[in-house]
Amino acid sequence: KSGHLHQILKHKPDFVMLQELHSTDGSILTWQPPNDYKLFFLNGTAATAGVGILARHAFLKQFERPLTYQLES
């Protein structure tokens, strides 16, 4: 699975949806997402599927509020 993910990430997509992670709270912390990505996830158990989203930091930056908006709020 990880080899296929690395092939996908070579194209630098804005985000990648992940399914059937079969991760636990402990195992997900041992895996580091690629430097350009942030991982959002919901664990299942070792026996049930979990889901995740890998999102590029540059993509997420598009949704940050400008500083001027924060000061006016």
Side-chain angles (χ1 to χ4, degrees):
K1 290 182 184 179
S2 64
H4 185 67
L5 178 59
H6 289 291
Q7 290 296 320
I8 291 170
L9 294 177
K10 284 182 181 179
H11 300 285
K12 300 186 184 233
D14 286 334
F15 60 90
V16 178
M17 309 294 283
L18 307 169
Q19 64 183 20
E20 301 203 25
L21 297 179
H22 295 281
S23 59
T24 62
D25 289 339
S27 67
I28 199 73
L29 296 175
T30 63
W31 184 79
Q32 294 295 315
N35 288 335
D36 295 344
Y37 288 86
K38 179 171 183 161
L39 175 64
F40 299 92
F41 63 93
L42 178 62
N43 285 328
T45 66
T48 61
V51 295
I53 301 171
L54 277 174
R56 286 188 71 197
H57 293 291
F59 176 73
L60 294 173
K61 229 174 190 183
Q62 297 177 58
F63 303 99
E64 292 178 357
R65 288 190 219 169
L67 181 58
T68 54
Y69 179 80
Q70 291 177 3
L71 293 175
E72 293 172 1
S73 298

